[in-house]
Amino acid sequence: MELNTFSIAAHCSRTGQLGVAVASAVPAVGGLCPYLRAGIGAVTTQSWVNPYLALRILDGLAGGQASDAALAAALETDDRSDLRQIGLVDAGGAAAAWTGAGCTAEAGHRTGPGYAVQGNMLAAPGVIDAMARAFENGAGCDLDERLMRALEAGDDAGGDRRGKQSAALRIVAREDYPCLDLRVDEHAVPVAELRRILAVARRQLVPFVAGMPRRDGPAGALPEDVAAMLLRPPAERPGAVAPGAIDPLHAIVGLPPEAAGRAAHLHAQFAPVLAEIRTLRDLDLAAVHPPVVFDPSLPYRQVPHE
């Protein structure tokens, strides 16, 4: 199967997490491209997909090979390496990538500290640069947010020239199971839908995974507050959209309800801004600056003010 795809494999130097984010105009890209092993590396295999290359690379990394050596050794086992595209990072953040001469244009890759970005059958050559720039600019964010922003940047720059269909985000930490594994298998705006799912997962799934048994510790039990949250119906959990809630994109901006694709696109565009706002709200600056309140209604009040 040819997966004409744009993706990023990355490492977080702060947490040690490894992750892959990927999008394509074929269904269920998350089931075929990303391969990750905690404490070892993260690989994405695309174009004419050969999953065994990813598995051999991970075995090579586990055996002590450097990222570029593991990639080269795996490619030597493949009689059609010209059709493959691979991106990977190891547990130390060293990246490597390969784009075979037979990959469908526009195709290419770029590596940097802690990441490898790659794509083929792209709408424009700027897709890869936009993804790398977004990842680099998000250095202060957690890995899930950095990967999501890179995928959104690639999508905004044109993405797959055939259109959109699926997207995925997978991250491993210290355990043999992923700490985050999200997939949109068939959707008109998969990257925007992945952003929405990530927002729900942060409130509902991440606390559950954080309470799961650890390899080097007692199994324990799920924290009571997390168990209580998950015993509630999905519509009553944190992050859920309440029935009858006003969608400002429909009610205020004026988008008709049938414009679901456009609404999802706009949500995706503003999601990084909202994420930054949440980060700023968590900062405690009381020691360096008095509280500042932004009130846009202030000029219109009929009362004296300073």
Side-chain angles (χ1 to χ4, degrees):
M1 177 182 291
E2 185 177 16
L3 294 189
N4 303 290
T5 301
F6 56 102
S7 67
I8 177 170
H11 168 262
C12 177
S13 59
R14 178 174 53 84
T15 64
Q17 291 179 340
L18 296 155
V20 170
V22 58
S24 183
V26 298
V29 68
L32 291 173
C33 285
Y35 291 82
L36 300 91
R37 199 175 296 174
I40 302 297
V43 186
T44 176
T45 172
Q46 50 202 58
S47 189
W48 289 98
V49 170
N50 183 349
Y52 292 105
L53 291 178
L55 297 174
R56 289 166 188 156
I57 288 170
L58 290 173
D59 287 342
L61 294 177
Q65 289 183 318
S67 57
D68 53 353
L71 173 60
L75 289 171
E76 287 179 357
T77 68
D78 191 349
D79 60 356
R80 291 308 308 269
S81 60
D82 61 308
L83 299 178
R84 318 301 182 199
Q85 188 169 54
I86 303 284
L88 69 131
V89 291
D90 66 17
W98 164 265
T99 299
C103 293
T104 307
E106 182 76 43
H109 61 260
R110 174 175 165 181
T111 61
Y115 73 87
V117 172
Q118 45 284 319
N120 61 92
M121 198 180 273
L122 300 175
V127 171
I128 292 172
D129 288 340
M131 294 178 68
R133 188 164 52 249
F135 184 79
E136 292 170 353
N137 291 343
C141 300
D142 290 338
L143 185 59
D144 63 340
E145 182 63 25
R146 297 184 75 184
L147 291 174
M148 192 69 239
R149 292 187 188 186
L151 209 61
E152 289 168 338
D155 198 42
D156 291 344
D160 189 317
R161 75 186 191 200
R162 299 164 302 167
K164 310 168 190 286
Q165 194 165 9
S166 66
L169 172 62
R170 193 172 195 215
I171 295 176
V172 294
R174 298 180 178 179
E175 306 303 322
D176 292 334
Y177 54 81
C179 58
L180 198 63
D181 190 355
L182 308 178
R183 304 180 186 185
V184 177
D185 286 339
E186 209 287 327
H187 198 277
V189 282
V191 174
E193 177 66 3
L194 186 64
R195 167 63 80 175
R196 185 192 69 81
I197 293 173
L198 175 59
V200 175
R202 284 169 171 165
R203 305 289 299 277
Q204 300 181 22
L205 177 63
V206 171
F208 176 80
V209 174
M212 288 171 60
R214 297 289 185 259
R215 179 174 46 206
D216 56 356
L222 192 65
E224 291 184 5
D225 58 335
V226 177
M229 181 265 290
L230 292 176
L231 286 172
R232 295 156 60 186
E236 298 178 9
R237 296 176 192 160
V241 177
I246 296 176
D247 184 345
L249 287 174
H250 292 158
I252 300 175
V253 178
L255 283 177
E258 61 269 17
R262 179 61 179 164
H265 173 76
L266 290 174
H267 275 299
Q269 302 312 300
F270 285 101
V273 177
L274 296 175
E276 291 293 344
I277 291 174
R278 286 192 294 269
T279 299
L280 292 172
R281 283 176 174 168
D282 290 337
L283 295 177
D284 185 1
L285 302 177
V288 297
H289 198 285
V292 175
V293 177
F294 174 68
D295 185 351
S297 69
L298 200 58
Y300 305 98
R301 294 185 183 179
Q302 302 300 315
V303 294
H305 59 271
E306 296 181 358

